[in-house]
């Protein structure tokens, strides 16, 4: 008797009670109820994606991804990616070297089980990622590498590796086989290749070249180009301008601040003579607020994603060092950002982009719910009497998170602005040598002010205050908050980021070598609408008023003239003000001893106190009489978000307006802002028929940076 399942093996009572099966796909028909039943309403749910997936869906996807990674059709083709290769410090040439050293070859040989490391050809390997790991749990500090191995090149240079490759098997997170090498170009090359591919396709389909006139090709209309205004020359604005200009739009880049050359002089006047230019300072000007910062290129939206790699390689094209593509914690520094931005500007001008520095956008020109232009004036003229109207087909709004007047102007057009959580706190500064000793112990002497074998020590700490295990009591209001370090600047300095003389806020910056004798970072606490309302601030701009409140308090506590109120960490924890002088600070406009407990509400102060005590357990020595807290850090991210369509990037309130970047609440940091501006550029180009391909197929789907922490 056969053991195979059969559609004929149907229970007898089902044959008798029911007619022939109307659905032959099932082994037997579904029994009908002998009585009528009430109809249950059907609820159709949209497919859940990304972080919204159900746990079971995530598990299935993870398993499917794992099976894909572990399946190899041909081991002798493509690329093998070898990860987590640890090279001890004494076997490595140091942080600035990206060569395939003998120490690295020894680790590769261990993975391949190849007996003689020196016989492996260096040319068959390429460093993809390099970082330094000096955690105390390790026996010894080491550089950790990710390396790509070109199988064809390896076999041609050393045929005796054939047997060892044949035995190589994928291991999740350690050894991965890629049939095709993952090659990602810079943004300019991607656009040019897309144009070429589309032109070739149109030519083949029609038998002759109609690239310049085809309605379906990348068009550069001969009668009238699409006119786009991009407001703001930070990362989002620059990359949106680049995409649109490369695709044939007539782009005008409007920046309230000055070009980096003049901006540098204005910042010098602020630091030396206390002259604050309201429109050209640490926040406003070419490159945005990130220009005079540490130039961090870390991001939470996927370091290996196509979009991030495209941005990074574009920065290299404009003068960034190639090691940013490999470093585990890439950064540029202000000194490298300035010439990079100059090169970026010259390229845009070569594409025909009109750049208007020192030009403030005072209002939008709106007709029938559609933005048709902007009103602008000289940013040095406060009266706005000489404003002029400029007409455009679309306006990309790429302002930074300090453009508070823009938020107010948007409200005048009844635009929807959504209050957003952000973080406030203080900036802590230690001697860099102290941080080196905490992190590296005996290796601290290897730093040599940024010129040694190991990188200048940094840190990243986070604490969730939940009212348990000795946390502040729940009635203090300090519960349910993230306390964390933000924008840590090793070998840096504390700088003024105020845009109004009556307000005081600070940030950190570093140069490329990070050679300063100080290390600083913001210690911040998350705040939300509940905190705004507790101080009487309501409405869309409640977060802005919340920021201003503490910036004004800090200015008063400092005594004016941009002097910053400070307190030692030990005094802050004990809520006292020592009569002794405070430790030296890198802040160049002067500091004044003050009791910072008088700055914030008690629940924020207690959260900061508790987190500092916790951080000292992770970093013994963090609590030190040499550590100095500076008030106040408020502009960690935008306090609002401007709702937009997820596909077209167009505002949901006004047609023709495209809010992007950090000021619109969609990014946090240089890279994520650049990525958002890049995707927005393609979206705007599609809306105006300048681009008809799917950029996601090349760069992957856009990801939101969300609430970004550093």
């Amino acid at each position: 008797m056969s053991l195979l399942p059969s559609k004929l093996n149907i229970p007898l009572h089902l044959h008798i009670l029911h007619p022939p099966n109307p659905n032959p796909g099932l082994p037997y028909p579904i029994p009908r109820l002998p009585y009528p039943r009430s109809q249950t309403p059907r609820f159709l749910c949209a497919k859940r994606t990304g972080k919204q997936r159900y746990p079971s869906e995530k598990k299935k996807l993870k398993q499917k991804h794992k099976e894909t990674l572990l399946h190899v059709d041909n081991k002798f083709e493509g690329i093998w990616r070898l990860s987590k290769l640890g090279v001890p410090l004494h076997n490595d040439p140091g942080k600035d070297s990206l060569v395939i050293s003998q120490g690295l070859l020894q680790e590769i040989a261990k993975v391949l089980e190849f007996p003689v490391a020196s016989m492996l050809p260096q040319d068959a390997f390429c460093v993809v990622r390099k970082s330094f790991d000096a955690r105390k749990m390790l026996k010894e500090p080491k550089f950790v590498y990710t390396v790509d191995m070109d199988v064809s090149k390896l076999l041609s240079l050393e045929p005796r590796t054939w047997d060892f490759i044949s035995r190589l098997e994928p291991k999740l997170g350690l050894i991965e086989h890629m049939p095709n090498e993952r090659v990602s170009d810079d943004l300019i090359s991607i656009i040019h290749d897309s144009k070429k591919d589309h032109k070739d396709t149109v030519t083949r389909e029609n038998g002759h070249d109609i690239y310049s006139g085809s309605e379906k090709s990348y068009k550069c209309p001969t009668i009238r180009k699409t006119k786009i205004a991009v407001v703001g020359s930070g990362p989002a604005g620059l990359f949106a301008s680049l995409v649109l200009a490369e695709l044939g739009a007539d782009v005008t880049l409007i920046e309230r601040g000055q070009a980096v050359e003049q901006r540098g002089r204005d910042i010098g006047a602020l630091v030396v003579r206390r002259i604050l230019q309201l429109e050209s300072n640490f926040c406003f000007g070419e490159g945005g607020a990130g220009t005079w910062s540490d130039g961090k290129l870390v991001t939470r939206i996927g370091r290996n994603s196509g979009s991030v790699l495209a941005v990074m390689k574009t920065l290299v094209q404009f003068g960034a060092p190639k090691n940013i593509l490999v470093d585990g914690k890439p950064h540029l520094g202000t000194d490298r950002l300035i010439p990079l931005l100059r090169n970026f500007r010259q390229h845009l001008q070569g594409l025909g982009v009109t750049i208007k520095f020192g030009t403030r956008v005072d209002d939008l020109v709106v007709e029938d719910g559609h933005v048709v232009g902007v009103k602008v004036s000289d940013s040095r003229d406060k009266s706005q009497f000489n404003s002029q109207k400029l007409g455009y087909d679309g306006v990309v709004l790429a302002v930074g998170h300090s453009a508070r007047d823009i938020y107010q102007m948007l409200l005048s057009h009844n635009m929807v602005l959504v209050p957003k959580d952000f973080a406030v706190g203080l900036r802590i500064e230690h001697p860099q040598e102290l941080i080196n000793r905490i992190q590296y112990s005996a290796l601290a002497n290897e730093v040599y002010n940024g010129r040694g074998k190991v990188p200048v020590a940094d840190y990243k700490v986070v604490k969730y205050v939940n009212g348990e295990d000795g946390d502040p009591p729940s009635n203090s209001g300090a519960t349910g908050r993230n306390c964390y370090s933000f924008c840590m600047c090793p070998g840096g300095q504390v700088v003024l980021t105020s845009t109004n003389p009556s307000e005081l806020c600070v940030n950190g910056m570093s140069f490329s070598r990070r050679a300063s004798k100080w290390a600083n970072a913001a210690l911040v606490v998350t705040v939300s609408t509940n905190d705004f309302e507790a101080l009487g601030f309501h409405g869309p701009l409640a977060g802005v008023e919340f920021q201003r409140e503490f910036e004004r308090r800090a200015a008063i506590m400092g005594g004016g003239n941009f002097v910053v109120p400070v307190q030692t960490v030990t005094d802050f924890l004990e809520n006292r003000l020592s009569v002794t002088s405070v430790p030296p600070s890198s802040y160049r406009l002067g500091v004044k001893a003050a009791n910072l407990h008088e700055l914030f509400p008690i629940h924020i102060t207690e959260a900061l106190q508790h987190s500092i005590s916790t951080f000292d357990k992770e970093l013994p020595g963090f609590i030190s009489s040499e550590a100095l807290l500076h008030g106040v850090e408020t502009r960690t991210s935008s306090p609002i978000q401007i709702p937009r369509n997820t596909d077209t990037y167009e505002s949901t309130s006004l047609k023709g307006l495209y809010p992007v970047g950090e000021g619109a609440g969609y990014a946090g940091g240089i890279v994520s802002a650049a990525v958002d501006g890049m995707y927005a550029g393609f979206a705007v180009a599609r809306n105006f028929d300048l681009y008809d391909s799917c950029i996601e197929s090349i760069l992957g789907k856009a990801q939101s940076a969300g609430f970004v922490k550093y």
Side-chain angles (χ1 to χ4, degrees):
M1 183 176 67
S2 174
L3 296 178
L4 296 175
S6 171
K7 292 183 181 180
L8 298 177
N9 295 331
I10 303 173
L12 179 61
H13 66 281
L14 291 179
H15 272 298
I16 297 172
L17 292 175
H18 301 291
N21 184 6
N23 189 351
L26 297 174
Y28 50 82
I30 300 174
R32 295 178 183 172
L33 293 173
Y35 52 86
R37 67 178 179 182
S38 60
Q39 294 295 316
T40 303
R42 296 178 65 205
F43 295 94
L44 301 178
C45 298
K47 185 177 181 182
R48 296 167 71 95
T49 59
K51 292 183 178 179
Q52 294 182 340
R53 293 185 189 275
Y54 292 109
S56 58
E57 292 177 321
K58 292 181 180 179
K59 187 175 181 180
K60 289 177 182 177
L61 284 173
K62 188 174 181 180
Q63 181 63 29
K64 185 177 180 180
H65 179 64
K66 182 178 179 180
E67 291 172 357
T68 302
L69 290 177
L70 298 181
H71 178 72
V72 179
D73 290 326
N74 188 342
K75 297 181 179 181
F76 304 99
E77 292 182 355
I79 300 293
W80 283 92
R81 176 159 289 181
L82 313 178
S83 302
K84 298 182 181 178
L85 302 174
V87 179
L89 177 62
H90 64 272
N91 282 344
D92 194 273
K95 70 179 191 312
D96 296 322
S97 174
L98 301 179
V99 301
I100 304 297
S101 64
Q102 285 301 311
L104 181 54
L105 283 177
Q106 290 173 13
E107 299 305 316
I108 294 172
K110 291 178 184 177
V111 175
L112 298 178
E113 298 181 357
F114 193 73
V116 185
S118 59
M119 294 177 62
L120 292 174
Q122 294 177 330
D123 292 343
F125 305 96
C126 174
V127 176
V128 176
R129 189 79 70 246
K130 181 178 182 178
S131 59
F132 185 61
D133 191 349
R135 289 174 296 171
K136 304 294 189 297
M137 66 181 71
L138 301 175
K139 292 183 178 179
E140 59 180 333
K142 59 186 178 181
F143 283 96
V144 181
Y145 288 83
T146 298
V147 172
D148 279 357
M149 178 176 71
D150 188 323
V151 181
S152 299
K153 188 176 289 186
L154 177 62
L155 290 173
S156 65
L157 296 173
E158 182 48 80
R160 285 169 290 189
T161 57
W162 195 95
D163 286 339
F164 301 92
I165 294 173
S166 67
R167 296 195 293 268
L168 195 60
E169 295 293 340
K171 292 181 181 178
L172 202 61
L174 297 175
I175 305 173
E176 178 187 0
H177 181 259
M178 300 179 291
N180 301 308
E181 184 178 3
R182 296 175 184 172
V183 178
S184 58
D185 285 323
D186 63 274
L187 182 56
I188 299 169
S189 299
I190 289 171
I191 294 174
H192 289 182
D193 290 345
S194 296
K195 285 182 178 180
K196 182 178 181 299
D197 291 344
H198 193 85
K199 177 181 177 182
D200 293 343
T201 301
V202 173
T203 303
R204 286 195 301 270
E205 289 178 353
N206 295 275
H208 59 282
D209 189 352
I210 57 170
Y211 174 62
S212 60
S214 170
E215 289 297 320
K216 294 184 178 181
S217 64
Y218 298 82
K219 300 183 286 188
C220 295
T222 55
I223 299 176
R224 178 183 176 276
K225 284 187 174 184
T226 301
K227 295 183 66 176
I228 304 293
V230 178
V231 182
S233 68
L238 288 172
F239 274 81
S241 298
L242 177 61
V243 170
L244 288 164
E246 288 284 357
L247 292 175
D250 180 0
V251 179
T252 300
L253 180 57
I254 303 173
E255 168 57 52
R256 69 193 303 163
Q258 298 295 330
V260 286
E261 297 87 352
Q262 180 59 46
R263 186 182 178 190
R265 290 190 284 270
D266 292 336
I267 289 174
L270 171 61
V271 172
V272 176
R273 301 196 300 275
R274 303 176 188 270
I275 302 173
L276 174 63
Q277 297 292 337
L278 300 184
E279 307 287 0
S280 179
N281 43 56
F282 280 97
C283 286
F284 298 146
E286 187 177 19
T291 304
W292 266 265
S293 72
D294 188 54
K296 289 182 181 62
L297 302 178
V298 294
T299 179
R300 299 179 69 205
I301 62 173
R303 174 67 194 275
N304 294 320
S305 66
S307 57
V308 171
L309 289 174
V311 165
M312 299 286 273
K313 291 192 174 184
T314 304
L315 295 177
V316 170
Q317 286 294 313
F318 289 130
K322 290 184 178 180
N323 64 0
I324 67 169
L325 304 175
V326 175
D327 285 349
K329 296 178 181 178
H331 86 109
L332 288 171
T334 296
D335 50 324
R336 285 176 173 165
L337 276 167
I338 292 173
L340 185 155
L341 287 167
R342 189 183 298 118
N343 295 336
F344 207 132
R345 181 208 315 158
Q346 292 171 353
H347 181 82
L348 291 177
Q349 290 172 329
L351 294 172
V353 174
T354 301
I355 302 179
K356 294 179 176 292
F357 290 115
T359 304
R360 181 182 56 243
V361 172
D362 300 319
D363 203 357
L364 300 174
V365 181
V366 181
E367 296 179 1
D368 298 324
H370 198 288
V371 176
V372 296
V374 293
K375 289 182 180 179
V376 300
S377 62
D378 189 325
S379 59
R380 292 168 294 185
D381 180 12
K382 299 179 183 179
S383 66
Q384 302 182 12
F385 290 145
N386 298 320
S387 64
Q388 57 177 321
K389 290 184 180 181
L390 302 175
Y392 296 99
D393 299 303
V395 176
V396 177
L397 190 65
V399 298
H401 57 49
S402 294
R404 294 165 173 174
D405 56 332
I406 293 291
Y407 298 152
Q408 194 67 52
M409 178 268 290
L410 295 177
L411 279 182
S412 71
H413 291 281
N414 297 318
M415 281 193 63
V416 175
L417 303 182
V418 180
K420 186 173 71 65
D421 293 358
F422 56 99
V424 298
L426 306 167
R427 184 155 287 267
I428 188 170
E429 186 171 67
H430 296 82
Q432 181 62 54
E433 289 185 357
L434 174 61
I435 300 300
N436 291 343
R437 290 196 302 271
I438 291 174
Q439 295 290 60
Y440 293 159
S441 300
L443 277 179
N445 294 330
E446 295 287 343
V447 174
Y448 294 119
N449 293 329
R451 299 180 182 275
K453 287 186 68 173
V454 302
V456 179
D458 62 3
Y459 59 83
K460 179 180 179 181
V461 285
V462 62
K463 170 65 178 175
Y464 182 73
V465 180
N466 57 11
E468 299 176 357
D469 301 324
D471 284 7
S474 58
N475 61 7
S476 72
T479 58
R481 298 176 186 275
N482 280 320
C483 306
Y484 57 92
S485 61
F486 171 85
C487 190
M488 197 275 158
C489 297
Q493 57 187 289
V494 178
V495 296
L496 176 75
T497 53
S498 301
T499 51
N500 186 311
S502 64
E503 299 165 354
L504 187 65
C505 57
V506 296
N507 192 21
M509 66 163 282
S510 299
F511 292 105
S512 57
R513 277 291 176 187
R514 291 173 163 171
S516 163
K517 59 182 180 180
W518 285 287
N520 68 76
L523 298 182
V524 291
V525 179
T526 53
V527 291
S528 64
T529 52
N530 292 334
D531 299 289
F532 312 155
E533 292 171 358
L535 291 181
F537 302 127
H538 304 273
L541 300 185
V544 174
E545 294 306 316
F546 186 84
Q547 291 174 326
R548 279 178 165 155
E549 173 66 21
F550 299 111
E551 291 173 7
R552 289 166 182 158
R553 290 186 189 182
I556 294 171
M557 291 175 69
N561 223 9
F562 306 119
V563 174
V564 165
V566 297
Q567 188 174 18
T568 63
V569 168
T570 50
D571 279 3
F572 180 74
L573 293 177
E574 297 176 10
N575 190 13
R576 69 179 185 184
L577 184 61
S578 297
V579 294
T580 57
S581 61
V582 296
S585 167
S586 66
Y587 182 74
R588 295 176 60 183
L589 291 172
V591 297
K592 177 184 177 182
N595 188 351
L596 297 181
H597 280 247
E598 299 173 3
L599 185 58
F600 290 116
I602 184 63
H603 55 272
I604 294 179
T605 301
E606 287 184 352
L608 286 169
Q609 283 180 300
H610 183 77
S611 60
I612 290 172
S613 299
T614 304
F615 298 157
D616 188 68
K617 297 175 184 177
E618 186 176 341
L619 303 171
F622 192 79
I623 296 176
S624 167
S625 59
E626 296 180 278
L628 197 60
L629 292 166
H630 300 65
V632 64
E633 183 101 13
T634 54
R635 304 188 189 187
T636 52
S637 67
S638 175
I640 63 100
Q641 187 173 71
I642 307 173
R644 70 186 184 190
N645 183 286
T646 55
D647 296 321
T648 65
Y649 283 63
E650 192 172 35
S651 164
T652 56
S653 301
L654 283 177
K655 298 293 183 183
L657 182 68
Y658 301 87
V660 302
E662 190 158 353
Y666 293 98
I670 292 174
V671 173
S672 61
V675 167
D676 195 58
M678 176 177 65
Y679 277 110
F682 283 108
V684 174
R686 273 198 306 271
N687 296 343
F688 289 97
D689 295 328
L690 298 173
Y691 185 79
D692 64 356
S693 293
C694 178
I695 192 61
E696 286 81 4
S697 64
I698 302 172
L699 299 178
K701 192 169 180 61
Q703 300 181 47
S704 173
F707 187 70
V708 177
K709 295 178 289 190
Y710 290 79

